[in-house]
């Protein structure tokens, strides 16, 4: 069984930085636990990193969300300290937008049969990546652990989970 855990954008700016929320801070412990568990079971783990540059405010995302975040090389761009020691031996994929085309290529190349996604934000980058993985690998079982995700708001977190459920993405964990 080829299994993958995708840890989406667990970066400082989304936890306690520019776009941080208390809901994001609350999932850190669950996320760390999940990553440790996956590594113990020898699952593959991929970390994605939202990655922008100095021209962020001139990009479409920046015009729609004019709050500079995850600018490469700044402290807010880094993975949270709790995960720094766990990324060793894992693929880390920088992505300039919500979904990661590199993640799709890697997942297809490796033919993963089960893929679990956790991280931030449920309603933007987790849902984007879950949906494109579902399109690229229609026979893979794709799961999102709600207890390891947080959204921009509590309501949009729940809406995103419901939308994913309708698209046959398994939702586990309490929300
Ligand atoms: Zn961004």
């Amino acid at each position: 069984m080829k299994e993958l855990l995708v840890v989406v954008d667990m970066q400082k700016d989304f936890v306690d930085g520019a776009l941080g929320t208390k809901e994001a801070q609350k999932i850190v412990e669950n996320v760390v636990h999940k990553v440790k568990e996956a590594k113990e079971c020898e699952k593959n783990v991929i970390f994605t990193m939202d990655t922008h540059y100095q021209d962020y405010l001139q990009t479409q995302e920046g015009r729609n969300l004019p709050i500079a975040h995850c600018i490469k090389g700044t402290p807010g761009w880094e993975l949270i300290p709790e995960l720094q020691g766990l990324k060793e031996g894992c693929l880390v994929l920088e992505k300039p937008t919500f979904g990661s085309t590199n993640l799709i290529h890697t997942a297809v190349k490796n033919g993963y049969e089960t893929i679990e996604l956790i991280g931030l934000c449920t309603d933007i980058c987790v849902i984007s990546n879950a949906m494109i993985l579902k399109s690229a690998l229609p026979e893979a079982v794709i799961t999102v652990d709600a207890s390891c995700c947080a959204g921009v708001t509590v309501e949009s977190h729940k809406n995103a989970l419901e939308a994913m459920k309708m698209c046959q993405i398994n939702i586990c964990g309490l929300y």
Side-chain angles (χ1 to χ4, degrees):
M1 184 75 104
K2 299 203 77 180
E3 295 181 86
L4 173 66
L5 176 69
V6 183
V7 185
V8 178
D9 300 3
M10 284 300 294
Q11 291 156 274
K12 207 172 154 38
D13 269 342
F14 289 126
V15 176
D16 58 3
L19 296 171
T21 62
K22 63 176 193 305
E23 287 76 23
Q25 289 159 34
K26 275 191 220 151
I27 66 160
V28 169
E29 208 180 297
N30 293 349
V31 168
V32 169
H33 178 76
K34 196 110 194 174
V35 174
K36 282 186 180 159
E37 200 178 59
K39 292 188 86 167
E40 277 159 20
C41 302
E42 293 182 351
K43 282 186 194 172
N44 287 0
V45 180
I46 294 178
F47 292 88
T48 68
M49 289 180 77
D50 197 41
T51 300
H52 300 295
Y53 299 91
Q54 296 302 334
D55 67 348
Y56 173 72
L57 294 172
Q58 280 81 56
T59 65
Q60 185 176 138
E61 184 183 324
R63 287 193 298 272
N64 289 320
L65 173 67
I67 300 169
H69 64 276
C70 297
I71 308 293
K72 189 170 180 172
T74 64
W77 172 73
E78 300 285 350
L79 289 177
I80 55 169
E82 292 86 343
L83 291 174
Q84 287 292 344
L86 293 169
K87 70 178 180 189
E88 214 164 308
C90 301
L91 193 57
V92 178
L93 298 175
E94 294 177 13
K95 59 180 185 58
T97 184
F98 310 142
S100 169
T101 48
N102 273 336
L103 173 64
I104 298 308
H105 293 145
T106 306
V108 169
K109 194 175 72 191
N110 287 292
Y112 290 111
E113 291 160 275
T114 74
I115 302 174
E116 184 163 8
L117 296 100
I118 58 175
L120 301 167
C121 298
T122 329
D123 40 357
I124 305 178
C125 288
V126 174
I127 192 172
S128 292
N129 285 291
M131 294 294 195
I132 58 176
L133 281 166
K134 188 83 190 160
S135 303
L137 290 162
E139 292 304 322
V141 175
I142 300 182
T143 302
V144 170
D145 186 340
S147 69
C148 294
C149 294
V152 174
T153 67
V154 173
E155 202 195 352
S156 58
H157 165 72
K158 288 180 183 165
N159 287 342
L161 293 166
E162 292 299 329
M164 287 190 275
K165 207 187 271 181
M166 283 309 292
C167 293
Q168 301 182 1
I169 289 160
N170 300 317
I171 306 299
C172 71
L174 289 176
Y175 67 100

